[in-house]
Amino acid sequence: MTEAVLITGGGGVGKTTIAAAVGLAAAEAGHRTLVLTVDPARRLATALGLEDLANHPEPNPKQDGLYAAMLDSAASWDAIARRHAPPDVAERLITNPLFEAVARRFPSGQAYAAAEEMATHLESGEWDRVIVDTPPAAGGIEFFSAAARMRELVGGRLLRWLTGARLPGRRGLFNIAGRPALRLADALLGGPLLEQVAEFLFDLRTTYDGISAKAIDIDAHLRKASTVVVATTDAGPIREALRFYQEGLDPELVIFNRTLPLEWADPFQPIENGRTAVALNNNLDRWGLEVRRQADVRADFAGRFPTPLASIMWMAESPVDLDGLSRLIAEARDLDLKLLRI
Ligand SMILES: Nc1ncnc2c1ncn2[C@@H]1O[C@H](COP(=O)(O)OP(=O)(O)OP(=O)(O)O)[C@@H](O)[C@H]1O
Ligand SMILES: [Mg+2]
């Protein structure tokens, strides 16, 4: 059976890095593992074996059982149209200028398209573990509501009102065009645009059945998956992590990344009275304050929620190869990979 692990959290907290490291740990534990990643740094992509940033799974040349693929979080509205509308309708949708406008104003569409890709891999039966680096729609949590929002967009009340409760036939388009809301638009903007709007809404509506069914599957996958929220002790990432609880999404694990080791709270005594030693000591004093601040934020978080917490140390070098990723996991404190079924 395929188990999914979703690595989510605010921007820049280390999601992509941790997804790669957890994927490596899963492959080392003997699971056939796919890391679905978004926009990895060039060197990390190379370490994962993603030379050509492929959309299809590529085996890692250095680790058996580890595969990686890119989740395409950009060119995806076209993919949605192609997947859920007949070819001629999809073509018409994609070339309709309104389509681009909707795609631009509705960022959940990108997250939704990525979720569809994730579902395809989860349903392929090829993998023991799929580790998903969630795309940055607008903070990690949007990934979880994208399916519902997409359904709402294509099947929602406004669209139903404009296009009629049931799909109108081709001739029904003229009735749509006769609706007051669109007649007003016609008066303001001119006839050809009105026709485009009517056709667009009609075409978009044909995708409803497909998207609606897929959205239900995606929600089921998300509910079954293990969710890891990555944060740091900074205000932005903490706010993002708290939103998961506010929305009633219960993560399996919270990881505090870029943690400073508690030992640093008590800096070494000066070894000599030279200026270098004093400077070093001052510096360690400063880090000592930061260590205590971080520890307070973590303790406060632990006091509020029962979720197991883990910390990943702040490494001196960016972990961008398999050794670096292994070290990252080895340096983690309280990280119980069994929670993620790894
Ligand atoms: N524990 C760590 N120690 C040192 N550097 C780290 C650590 N974790 C991540 N980094 C570095 O921090 C940077 C950001 O990490 P990463 O790209 O994984 O974050 P992200 O959450 O995926 O960002 P985005 O939201 O932009 O996708 C990278 O350069 C990465 O190598
Ligand atoms: Mg990333």
Side-chain angles (χ1 to χ4, degrees):
M1 211 187 82
T2 305
E3 304 270 5
V5 180
L6 307 176
I7 311 287
T8 181
V13 291
K15 298 178 295 292
T16 302
T17 306
I18 290 173
V22 168
L24 175 61
E28 283 173 348
H31 304 300
R32 196 176 149 82
T33 301
L34 174 65
V35 176
L36 279 177
T37 188
V38 187
D39 200 21
R42 180 87 226 144
R43 281 166 64 206
L44 182 59
T46 308
L48 285 172
L50 283 172
E51 287 298 348
D52 58 350
L53 302 178
N55 265 114
H56 51 88
E58 295 281 343
N60 192 289
K62 294 207 175 126
Q63 172 64 51
D64 274 352
L66 180 61
Y67 292 72
M70 292 284 287
L71 262 182
D72 183 359
S73 65
S76 14
W77 269 88
D78 293 13
I80 297 175
R82 293 219 165 82
R83 205 168 296 169
H84 294 295
D88 54 328
V89 177
E91 216 43 56
R92 208 166 47 225
L93 261 176
I94 290 164
T95 49
N96 193 316
L98 290 166
F99 187 70
E100 207 206 311
V102 169
R104 230 180 315 117
R105 295 213 184 100
F106 191 75
S108 290
Q110 289 184 3
Y112 171 79
E116 273 200 358
E117 265 184 74
M118 173 196 76
T120 307
H121 290 294
L122 285 175
E123 290 159 13
S124 73
E126 274 191 58
W127 312 105
D128 301 327
R129 299 290 180 277
V130 176
I131 318 293
V132 185
D133 170 19
T134 57
I141 202 164
E142 264 64 22
F143 190 67
F144 292 78
S145 53
R149 280 182 202 209
M150 194 68 186
R151 249 177 104 195
E152 181 55 35
L153 177 77
V154 291
R157 273 204 312 168
L158 177 67
L159 206 53
R160 270 206 303 279
W161 175 67
L162 287 166
T163 60
R166 273 173 293 141
L167 274 181
R170 257 272 151 254
R171 262 181 298 144
L173 262 181
F174 296 103
N175 295 335
I176 299 171
R179 284 172 185 250
L182 291 179
R183 242 186 289 132
L184 178 65
D186 191 25
L188 292 173
L189 302 165
L193 182 73
L194 169 59
E195 227 168 84
Q196 263 180 357
V197 172
E199 188 172 72
F200 175 66
L201 291 174
F202 174 82
D203 285 345
L204 193 62
R205 188 85 171 81
T206 63
T207 62
Y208 177 69
D209 286 344
I211 288 181
S212 185
K214 199 76 217 171
I216 290 170
D217 292 348
I218 289 171
D219 272 341
H221 287 309
L222 293 177
R223 264 197 309 278
K224 272 201 318 214
S226 304
T227 303
V228 177
V229 173
V230 182
T232 66
T233 51
D234 294 334
I238 287 284
R239 245 192 328 270
E240 194 61 37
L242 292 180
R243 283 180 67 201
F244 280 81
Y245 294 91
Q246 285 152 7
E247 306 275 329
L249 295 164
D250 242 344
E252 261 63 34
L253 176 70
V254 172
I255 291 180
F256 280 97
N257 192 22
R258 290 210 196 81
T259 295
L260 296 173
L262 272 174
E263 306 84 86
W264 288 16
D266 294 312
F268 313 102
Q269 293 306 307
I271 12 171
E272 56 187 74
N273 289 330
R275 281 175 55 199
T276 324
V278 172
L280 180 68
N281 224 45
N282 284 343
N283 202 0
L284 283 171
D285 270 338
R286 230 170 275 139
W287 283 115
L289 281 181
E290 173 63 12
V291 167
R292 288 193 197 94
R293 187 195 67 79
Q294 288 193 358
D296 285 347
V297 176
R298 290 194 302 272
D300 179 55
F301 201 97
R304 293 173 68 179
F305 306 108
T307 317
L309 302 186
S311 295
I312 290 185
M313 290 305 118
W314 194 331
M315 310 298 279
E317 275 174 50
S318 281
V320 285
D321 53 18
L322 296 190
D323 284 347
L325 295 174
S326 277
R327 271 199 301 279
L328 193 80
I329 293 287
E331 290 265 346
R333 313 252 163 119
D334 301 324
L335 177 59
D336 183 0
L337 286 173
K338 283 200 210 73
L339 281 173
L340 309 178
R341 302 180 196 114
I342 284 164

